[in-house]
Amino acid sequence: MDKKNALRAGAVAAGTTLMMLLMSSPALALTRDDGDDPAPKLSVAETLGLYVVAPIVLFLVIAGLVMVGDKSRKQQKQG
């Protein structure tokens, strides 16, 4: 990729990012909608468990199942 295309791609990315930041106004988040019923806040431990530990555990379980399935298939081919 030559210098001109890289500059153009960077300008487009920067412009898109700037427009996204300008269009999403955080001030609108301060007003509540009718019928808004927020849930109670999560503790730090609950947040880490939900967004860090749970995905890692799910990944390990799925990876383990794939590995077990792959090993059993290899043993059937050899025998």
Side-chain angles (χ1 to χ4, degrees), residues 41-60:
K41 293 183 178 182
L42 294 175
S43 69
V44 174
E46 289 171 330
T47 304
L48 288 174
L50 187 62
Y51 294 108
V52 176
V53 175
I56 291 173
V57 169
L58 283 171
F59 173 79
L60 292 175

Side-chain angles (χ1 to χ4, degrees), residues 6-61:
L7 237 106
R8 184 178 296 148
V12 168
T16 303
T17 304
L18 184 62
M19 288 304 294
M20 293 287 272
L21 286 172
L22 290 174
M23 297 300 282
S24 62
S25 174
L28 296 176
L30 296 176
T31 58
R32 299 253 174 183
D33 291 334
D34 291 337
D36 190 14
D37 188 19
K41 293 183 178 182
L42 294 175
S43 69
V44 174
E46 289 171 330
T47 304
L48 288 174
L50 187 62
Y51 294 108
V52 176
V53 175
I56 291 173
V57 169
L58 283 171
F59 173 79
L60 292 175
V61 167

